[in-house]
Amino acid sequence: MTGPRSVTIDLPDWAWECCADAVGLTSVDDRMDAVLDLAHRNIADGGGPFAAAIFDAEGTMLAPGLNRVVAASAPIAHAEIVAIAMAGQRLGTWDLASAGAVELVTSTEPCAMCLGSVPWSGVVRLVCSARDADARAIGFDEGHKPADWTTLLAESGVEVVSDVRRDGGVAVLQSYAEQGGDIYNGGDHADA
């Protein structure tokens, strides 16, 4: 039996247009607003309620990330993973730090899988809007994360900034749930 020889995760053109427009966003609130806009647009485009982006030190978005789990039939296509991968492809490196200090801005705190990718990517700052509990409140399973995950990231050289525009991040999640968006979790097939 042969299978696919590659994994392709495509982002819609509008995501790259948003990226091109996100230049010189010097405040963390402005960068988060750009990411929350990506999340709202992803929902409107039939995607999940999660978005992320990699920004350089000047506040320019280097790469957007959208949750493409369903669209790409790829369980690992979470917004943070996609943003990190797209930034690496755009910069031509597996170590984002080699391009300078980069920041990962995300609409919701990372799940267990995405959390592991943060220090390995070269990101020096993680900025989050909604909390893990907010995603769980609408039914998403965020996996097992250590209670002191922010301390562990700090020990790895990654600063964590939480609750930036949290109300906006929560509103994205609630809007998705109210519209009847799929709540997909790894264990959904257990009763099948």
Side-chain angles (χ1 to χ4, degrees), residues 1-158:
M1 173 182 208
T2 61
R5 294 182 188 270
S6 66
V7 174
T8 302
I9 300 171
D10 291 316
L11 294 182
D13 290 340
W14 61 260
W16 288 105
E17 291 164 6
C18 289
C19 181
D21 292 341
V23 176
L25 303 178
T26 56
S27 83
V28 69
D29 289 336
D30 288 344
R31 293 188 298 277
M32 184 59 74
D33 286 343
V35 168
L36 293 176
D37 181 54
L38 285 170
H40 279 294
R41 291 191 67 175
N42 199 40
I43 293 170
D45 197 36
F50 305 103
I54 298 289
F55 287 88
D56 68 14
E58 287 76 42
T60 296
M61 187 184 296
L62 298 175
L66 302 172
N67 182 287
R68 306 300 288 170
V69 169
V70 174
S73 298
I76 64 164
H78 289 203
E80 296 92 337
I81 301 290
V82 172
I84 289 167
M86 293 291 179
Q89 291 287 300
R90 183 170 184 192
L91 297 170
T93 181
W94 55 268
D95 179 11
L96 301 183
S98 67
V102 295
E103 173 182 79
L104 174 61
V105 179
T106 183
S107 64
T108 304
E109 291 176 346
C111 70
M113 176 181 66
C114 295
L115 179 62
S117 70
V118 172
W120 290 338
S121 68
V123 165
V124 298
R125 188 174 190 216
L126 171 66
V127 179
C128 309
S129 182
R131 293 184 184 177
D132 178 278
D134 301 324
R136 290 179 193 274
I138 68 163
F140 280 101
D141 177 358
E142 298 296 279
H144 176 72
K145 296 182 344 188
D148 61 345
W149 66 270
T150 58
T151 301
L152 295 172
L153 282 182
E155 290 171 357
S156 296
V158 180

